[in-house]
Amino acid sequence: MFIDVAKYVVTIVVIGGLISEHFNVGNIWFGFIIALGTGLIGFLVIPPEENK
């Protein structure tokens, strides 16, 4: 579930960055940091036998 959330956040950041009028690097980095954090949490909560 957390990995899906990370994918959704990355999608929102990319689409938002493409259609926004003002290119704000800080918001893009913040979005990618949130996505990385949720992706790492999602990877760590997966049981070891499913990590293959």
Side-chain angles (χ1 to χ4, degrees), residues 3-49:
I3 295 175
D4 292 331
V5 171
K7 290 189 285 187
Y8 297 145
V9 169
V10 168
T11 303
I12 290 169
V13 168
V14 169
I15 291 173
L18 290 174
I19 64 172
S20 71
E21 295 178 5
H22 303 287
F23 187 74
N24 192 349
V25 179
N27 289 344
I28 293 173
W29 278 113
F30 181 71
F32 281 129
I33 289 170
I34 295 291
L36 180 66
T38 55
L40 286 174
I41 291 170
F43 182 75
L44 293 175
V45 299
I46 296 174
E49 63 271 1

